[in-house]
């Protein structure tokens, strides 16, 4: 055995050296791989930390925009509630006149909400590009349009107050006189009210919703002080309520004007714009019809007018459909229409919260697009949808758990409460749906995709009207009315979601951005 072992070849010194080198190489390679793995792990951890930080900052920005916006949205209903509280002490005729006029005023002013909707993304994108000149031109277009439309609306409301009262079915000479007086008083504030809408859009574009909230609270406080003084002390009655609101609106308009004038950090010389200097470079010569600046200005005006027309068409279609739903409910009887109105109060309450997310979407998406950061626009949109869905589910739970107590805050009539319970499941199930619709609508407004939004609204409204037309013939009752409204929101969600996820949509990512 010893002799056999002695005969085994002994590794040479070179072989032993090569073996040692290979072993050291393997150890070094193992250490290198471990170091690389650790580096990759640290990079992944760092990327995750940065992603979480961006997410936290994104959530904070959304909250900072949304909560003041939600309170601002409640300002107009609060204004109407103050008027109603004081006018109700005058008498039944006065309250009836105010109720009819409130519907007319709400429809007229809401139809021009495009002044704020179209201004928000324009100012937001200008701010993202640090283009004060473009922000100034956007605000100038909104101001001129709001004053012109407001003046025309004031004349129409003043001269057509009697016709509007007749169209609303105001009966009795005393009630009609009161209704006409209130409308004519409110007409005086129309230019201011529309300018305020445009100014709010500008501040939202700056991601500042606290300033509009402060102005809204101040104007509501002024209205609350003026109402009893004009209505009772000076004996102006219902007309005094309209005058108080008009004065408050003008004071708000003056305040907004001063605040906008002081925003030198946002607004600049309208002719000193990088975009316009590019126009000069591309078209240095006069083409015989319009100078380059005038041509560019005309193009911006056409874009704003097109956006305004599309948004107005969309708004009028929605208001008209909801008004038609109320008309159908009215023909069902006193209890069904009362239950319908109670349910609409719950819908309007929820809209204060979810619409504030839409406002955040308008501003944040527009800013991301203005900076050329499409992935961030998508991330903001996804986060808003997550928050909106959660909020909608929360509202559904709230309405479901409070189904017995909440309606009794409005009425104790057994027939009305029974009719309300019939439509409660539809109302509850609609809340997540409504939240997603509001958020997606705001996101697409931020992309300035106005034409698609108008067409999508018309399609959804047309489907709803078809269903509402069959409520009477098929004896569907109030449940059928609310199924129609659910179809309205379902149709909007389907069309908006299609546009959002479509490869050709305004938020579609390019291949290099995906990579």
């Amino acid at each position: 055995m010893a002799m056999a072992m002695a005969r085994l070849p002994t590794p040479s010194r070179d072989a032993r050296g090569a073996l040692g080198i290979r072993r050291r190489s393997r150890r070094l390679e193992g250490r290198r791989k471990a170091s690389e793995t650790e580096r990759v792990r640290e990079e992944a951890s760092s990327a995750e930390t940065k992603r979480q930080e961006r997410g936290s900052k994104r959530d904070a920005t959304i909250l900072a925009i949304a909560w003041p916006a939600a309170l601002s949205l409640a300002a107009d209903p609060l204004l109407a509630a103050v008027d109603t509280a004081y006018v109700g002490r005058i008498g039944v005729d006065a309250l009836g006149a105010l109720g009819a006029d409130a519907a007319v005023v709400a429809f007229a002013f809401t139809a021009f909400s495009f002044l704020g909707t179209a201004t928000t993304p324009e100012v937001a994108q200008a701010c993202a590009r640090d283009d004060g000149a473009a922000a100034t031109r956007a605000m100038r277009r909104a101001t001129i349009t709001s004053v012109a439309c407001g003046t025309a609306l004031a004349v129409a409301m003043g001269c057509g107050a009697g016709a509007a009262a007749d169209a609303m079915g105001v009966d009795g000479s005393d009630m009609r006189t009161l209704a006409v007086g209130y409308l004519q008083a409110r007409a005086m504030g129309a230019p201011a009210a529309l300018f305020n809408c445009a100014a709010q859009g500008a501040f939202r574009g700056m991601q500042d919703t606290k300033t509009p909230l402060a102005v809204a609270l101040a104007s509501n406080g002024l209205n609350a002080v003026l109402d009893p003084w004009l209505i009772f002390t000076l004996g102006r009655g219902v007309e005094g309520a309209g005058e108080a609101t008009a004065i408050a609106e003008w004071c708000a308009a003056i305040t907004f004007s001063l605040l906008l004038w002081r925003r030198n950090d946002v607004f600049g010389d309208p002719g000193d714009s990088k975009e316009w200097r590019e126009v000069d470079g591309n078209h240095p010569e006069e083409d015989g019809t319009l100078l380059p600046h005038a041509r560019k200005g005309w193009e911006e005006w056409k874009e704003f007018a097109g956006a305004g027309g599309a948004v107005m068409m969309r708004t009028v279609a929605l208001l008209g459909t909801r008004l038609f739903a109320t008309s159908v409910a009215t023909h069902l009887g006193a209890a069904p229409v009362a239950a319908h109105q109670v349910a609409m109060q719950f819908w309007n309450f929820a809209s204060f919260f979810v619409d504030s997310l839409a406002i955040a979407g308008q501003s944040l998406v527009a800013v991301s697009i203005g900076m050329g950061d499409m992935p961030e626009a998508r991330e903001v949109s996804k986060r808003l949808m997550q928050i909106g869905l959660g909020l909608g589910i929360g509202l559904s739970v709230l309405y479901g758990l409070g189904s017995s107590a909440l309606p009794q805050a409005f009425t104790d009539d057994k027939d009305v409460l029974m009719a309300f319970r019939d439509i409660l499941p539809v109302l509850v199930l609609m809340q997540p749906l409504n939240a997603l619709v509001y958020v997606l609508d705001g996101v697409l407004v931020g992309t300035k995709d106005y034409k698609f939004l108008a067409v999508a609204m018309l399609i959804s409204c047309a489907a709803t009207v078809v269903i509402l037309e069959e409520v009477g013939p098929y004896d569907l009752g109030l449940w059928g009315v609310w199924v129609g409204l659910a179809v309205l929101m379902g149709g909007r969600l389907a069309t908006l979601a299609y546009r959002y996820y479509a490869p050709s949509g305004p938020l579609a990512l390019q291949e290099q951005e995906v990579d």
Side-chain angles (χ1 to χ4, degrees), residues 27-107:
R27 285 196 297 269
L28 290 173
E29 180 65 19
R31 292 171 184 172
R32 188 189 66 78
K33 289 182 178 180
S35 176
E36 181 68 17
T37 302
E38 183 64 23
R39 185 184 65 80
V40 171
R41 186 181 297 112
E42 289 177 356
E43 289 180 353
S45 177
S46 176
E48 178 64 19
T49 300
K50 290 180 179 179
R51 188 187 67 80
Q52 292 177 354
E53 289 176 353
R54 286 197 301 269
S56 299
K57 184 178 179 181
R58 191 180 298 126
D59 288 350
T61 304
I62 290 172
L63 180 62
I65 295 174
W67 76 261
L71 296 179
S72 296
L73 290 169
D76 285 341
L78 181 61
L79 197 89
V82 171
D83 284 351
T84 302
Y86 284 114
V87 170
R89 296 169 59 186
I90 300 175
V92 176
D93 285 346
L95 192 58
L98 179 64
D101 286 347
V104 174
V105 172
F107 185 89

Side-chain angles (χ1 to χ4, degrees), residues 8 13 20 25-26 57 91 165 169 213 221 281 315 320 326 334 375 395 407 417 427 463 476 509 511:
L8 290 175
R13 183 178 298 175
S25 297
R26 283 195 294 270
K57 184 178 179 181
L213 173 60
T315 303
T326 301
L395 288 167
L417 291 175
L427 177 66
L476 300 177
L509 298 180
E511 291 185 3

